[in-house]
């Protein structure tokens, strides 16, 4: 069907090209017909060009509709197909149709308004995405959609004048039309019937012919030229899909992965490197029972996860490949090797907060009888600008849990990514308001680190005055709503919390890797040079995510100073990297990476002055004892 859509305007071009070129005397019009012929040639050229452009959304959305039928994909797909069919009609029929519509001014106005609104959708998608990541794919789509909106919203008289102005340039039209048509015809045939892996906007799976190339980082699927934006390793990368399982090159494996929106897909994943991923264990290879995993539904049990549609391998829980359904988000995730967050399960135990804590910690820091705080990370929604899908219930439960602990943690640290919004759109503020409303379940003070989604969404983005990406709406909303209430104007800052009796001191140093600057580097050097018993760092990206501008330089500065632990997020799970003294806490509500459930960390000072870290399941408030560890003040392991 897609190949036919591509061939139709090509066939039309074979009929009209001789007339445009004027090689045949029989087809060459007399001189007094020149203006009319020029206008006709212009209509033909524009019709073919626009038919060619509409091939890309037609192919992308047709495939998406056939894979997972939805009204959203249906109107985009069939609208583009109808546009191609109309634009490929014979010139005379097109002219009669246009003249008939223009004679009915009300119909023409209504149709123009409808088409302007239709093209407003891709304009609002691609223009903000272009300013966020500066890609050619978003550039031509954004500019094209914007031009369509302006054209269809223009008065009829202005449209007529514009057509007449261009038609008067008849020699230029004839000179440019023939080679342009042949070039577009060849490309259209390639798009319609050839390999889709390199096609802008293609949404079809294909043989992965470019596996040897580095996997490009991404924010959404739109960055991936028909592939998916998958959560791989410590970041998100583009990967081609492999629904049949045999489309991947030899250096990639067809693996079930989670996309940035939390959907389960089979994708061609590199076998090694930064964008490699380990295939998840199957559900029958030692996974725990449903009773031990509240909120996680195994393959044989019916659930409402929507990842598997129309596949012969679909499981009753709505997933495939042995994955489990998380009922909190209706997203699939790889099967748990242990449900450590469930009390009574293997690895699970009731949390013990230790001795009572007397604390007086506010926006500027304060005192506490012992080190005792919580860490929450990555609470963004699944999709960009999906404010209605914000994981409010999960975040509220997390902060309700923290408030209910005895003793209650003295403060909370956030590791970033509180939003998923277009960088110059209007959703960052509403999403942060939802987060702050959920966070209000906890009565203490919170200190937030900035994530990449508080800049443009791209891991490599850098925001702030004088930076590469400048001051986005996301950055402004974060600084105003998250930092303003605690008296901070920069996304990097330090907080002191010391023992009231002076027996120990501590500082928490919050780094903004996506607002990096020479000023922040000098500040970090000075802060870490201040001696304290304990030093905790908070940053969004892990030490391995070197695309973020501030990660490598911050790690270099950190290596020259003593510190206890570094808390990061970005990856939607929880992990401990002992050799780098790094703790990943990113399971706060964003689509999960891997098999672990949502929750938070609690950091506490033991009676021997070692620092113990636990992760608590948000559904059961039980701690994962298989994760628990302790370190001395210098970060070295403690018994």
């Amino acid at each position: 069907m897609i190949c036919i859509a591509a061939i139709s305007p090509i066939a039309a071009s074979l009929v009209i090209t001789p007339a445009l070129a004027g090689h045949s005397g029989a087809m060459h019009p007399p001189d007094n017909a020149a203006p009319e012929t020029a206008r006709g040639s212009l209509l033909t050229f524009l019709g073919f060009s626009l038919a060619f452009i509409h091939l890309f959304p037609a192919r992308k959305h047709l495939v998406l509709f056939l894979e997972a039928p939805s009204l959203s994909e249906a109107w985009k797909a069939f609208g583009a197909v109808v546009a191609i069919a109309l634009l490929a009609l014979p010139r005379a029929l097109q002219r009669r149709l246009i003249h008939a519509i223009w004679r009915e001014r009300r119909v023409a106005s209504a149709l123009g308004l409808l088409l302007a609104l239709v093209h407003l959708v891709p304009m609002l998608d691609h223009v903000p995405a272009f300013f966020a990541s500066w890609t050619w794919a978003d550039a031509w789509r954004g500019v094209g959609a914007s031009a369509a909106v302006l054209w269809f919203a223009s008065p009829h008289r202005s449209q007529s004048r514009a057509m007449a102005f261009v038609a008067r340039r008849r020699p230029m039209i004839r000179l440019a039309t023939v080679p342009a048509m042949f070039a577009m015809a060849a490309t259209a045939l390639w798009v319609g019937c050839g390999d889709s892996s390199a096609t802008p906007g293609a949404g079809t799976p294909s043989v992965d012919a470019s596996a040897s190339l580095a996997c490009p980082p991404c924010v959404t699927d739109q960055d991936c030229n028909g592939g998916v934006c998958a959560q791989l390793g410590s970041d998100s990368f583009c990967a081609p899909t492999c629904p049949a399982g045999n489309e991947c090159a030899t250096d990639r494996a067809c693996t079930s992965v989670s996309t940035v929106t939390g959907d389960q897909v089979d994708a061609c994943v590199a076998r090694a490197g930064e964008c490699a991923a380990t295939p998840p264990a199957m559900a029958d290879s030692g996974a725990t029972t449903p009773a031990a995993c509240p909120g996680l539904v195994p393959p044989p049990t019916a659930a409402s996860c929507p990842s598997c549609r129309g596949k012969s391998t679909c499981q009753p829980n709505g997933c495939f490949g042995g994955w489990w359904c998380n009922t909190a988000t209706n997203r699939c995730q790889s099967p748990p090797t242990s449900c450590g967050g469930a009390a009574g399960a293997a690895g699970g135990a009731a949390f013990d907060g230790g001795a009572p804590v007397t604390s007086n910690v506010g926006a500027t820091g304060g005192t506490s009888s012992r080190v005792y705080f919580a860490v929450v990370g990555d609470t963004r929604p699944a999709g960009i600008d999906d404010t209605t899908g914000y994981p409010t219930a999960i975040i509220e439960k997390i902060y309700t849990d923290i408030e209910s602990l005895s003793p209650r943690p003295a403060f909370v640290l956030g590791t970033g990514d509180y939003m998923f919004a277009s960088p110059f759109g209007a959703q960052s503020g509403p999403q942060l308001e939802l987060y702050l409303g959920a966070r209000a379940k906890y009565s203490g003070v919170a200190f937030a680190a900035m994530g990449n989604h508080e800049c443009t969404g791209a891991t490599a983005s850098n925001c702030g005055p004088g930076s590469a990406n400048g001051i986005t709406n996301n950055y402004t909303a974060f600084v105003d709503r998250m930092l303003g209430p605690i008296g901070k104007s920069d996304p990097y800052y330090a907080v002191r919390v010391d023992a009231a009796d002076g027996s120990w001191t501590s500082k928490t140093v919050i780094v903004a890797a996506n607002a990096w600057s020479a000023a922040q580097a000098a500040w970090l050097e000075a802060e870490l040079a201040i001696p304290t018993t304990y030093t905790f760092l908070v940053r969004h990206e892990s030490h391995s995510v070197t695309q973020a501008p501030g990660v490598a330089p911050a790690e270099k500065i950190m290596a020259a100073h003593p510190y206890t632990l570094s808390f990061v997020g970005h990856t939607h799970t929880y992990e401990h990297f002992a050799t780098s003294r790094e703790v990943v806490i990113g399971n706060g509500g964003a689509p999960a990476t891997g098999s672990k459930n949502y929750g938070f960390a609690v950091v506490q000072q033991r009676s021997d002055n070692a620092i113990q870290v636990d992760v608590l399941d948000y559904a059961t408030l039980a701690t994962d004892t298989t994760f628990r560890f302790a370190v001395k003040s210098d970060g070295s392991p403690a018994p």
Side-chain angles (χ1 to χ4, degrees), residues 565-632:
L565 287 172
S566 173
F567 294 95
V568 299
H570 197 58
T571 307
H572 304 159
T573 186
Y574 58 90
E575 298 177 277
H576 173 219
F577 299 101
T579 55
S580 58
R581 290 176 282 173
E582 186 173 86
V583 186
V584 178
I585 303 297
N587 59 329
T593 303
S595 61
K596 296 169 182 174
N597 203 8
Y598 297 112
F600 57 96
V602 176
V603 181
Q604 60 175 313
Q605 182 185 16
R606 300 190 316 201
S607 59
D608 62 356
N609 290 323
I611 297 297
Q612 179 177 299
V613 181
D614 284 285
V615 169
L616 280 65
D617 184 281
Y618 88 114
T620 63
L621 261 184
T623 183
D624 184 354
T625 57
T626 62
F627 173 85
R628 176 184 293 162
F629 68 94
V631 296
K632 299 176 183 178

Side-chain angles (χ1 to χ4, degrees), residues 123-160:
M123 186 190 84
L124 294 177
D125 282 343
H126 294 292
V127 170
F130 169 71
F131 284 107
S133 55
W134 297 86
T135 62
W136 166 246
D138 284 314
W140 76 264
R141 290 176 174 91
V143 171
S146 300
V149 171
L150 290 174
W151 174 260
F152 288 121
S154 298
H156 299 153
R157 182 172 298 179
S158 300
Q159 293 178 352
S160 299

Side-chain angles (χ1 to χ4, degrees), residues 164-265:
F165 174 80
V166 178
R168 286 195 292 270
R169 273 66 181 168
R170 181 174 50 143
M172 181 174 62
I173 293 172
R174 285 187 172 179
L175 182 64
T177 297
V178 176
M181 281 189 168
F182 275 112
M184 289 189 293
T187 306
L189 187 59
W190 174 45
V191 170
C193 307
D195 179 15
S196 66
S197 61
T199 304
T204 55
S206 66
V207 174
D208 174 25
S210 59
S212 60
L213 300 178
C215 7
C218 54
V219 178
T220 69
D221 288 350
Q222 292 179 354
D223 301 327
C224 296
N225 292 330
V228 293
C229 187
Q231 300 183 76
L232 302 173
S234 298
D235 208 344
S236 53
F237 299 94
C238 291
T241 57
C242 51
N246 60 356
E247 297 91 342
C248 302
T250 55
D251 57 350
R252 296 194 186 189
C254 188
T255 306
S256 286
V257 298
S258 289
T259 68
V260 292
T261 59
D263 295 318
Q264 180 191 6
V265 297

Side-chain angles (χ1 to χ4, degrees), residues 417-456:
D417 277 5
Y418 317 94
M419 65 179 78
F420 193 178
S422 299
F424 294 98
Q427 295 305 308
S428 53
Q431 289 184 17
L432 286 185
E433 290 304 316
L434 290 174
Y435 174 79
L436 292 171
R439 198 182 74 179
K441 299 294 182 180
Y442 167 70
S443 59
V445 65
F447 302 106
M450 174 185 173
N452 55 294
H453 282 282
E454 282 72 67
C455 184
T456 71

Side-chain angles (χ1 to χ4, degrees), residues 536-580:
F536 304 103
L537 289 108
V538 187
R539 188 183 64 220
H540 182 61
E541 290 92 352
S542 170
H543 69 282
S544 62
V545 187
T546 54
Q547 302 97 312
V551 167
E555 288 289 324
K556 184 177 180 180
I557 295 171
M558 290 161 57
H561 298 277
Y563 67 92
T564 310
L565 287 172
S566 173
F567 294 95
V568 299
H570 197 58
T571 307
H572 304 159
T573 186
Y574 58 90
E575 298 177 277
H576 173 219
F577 299 101
T579 55
S580 58

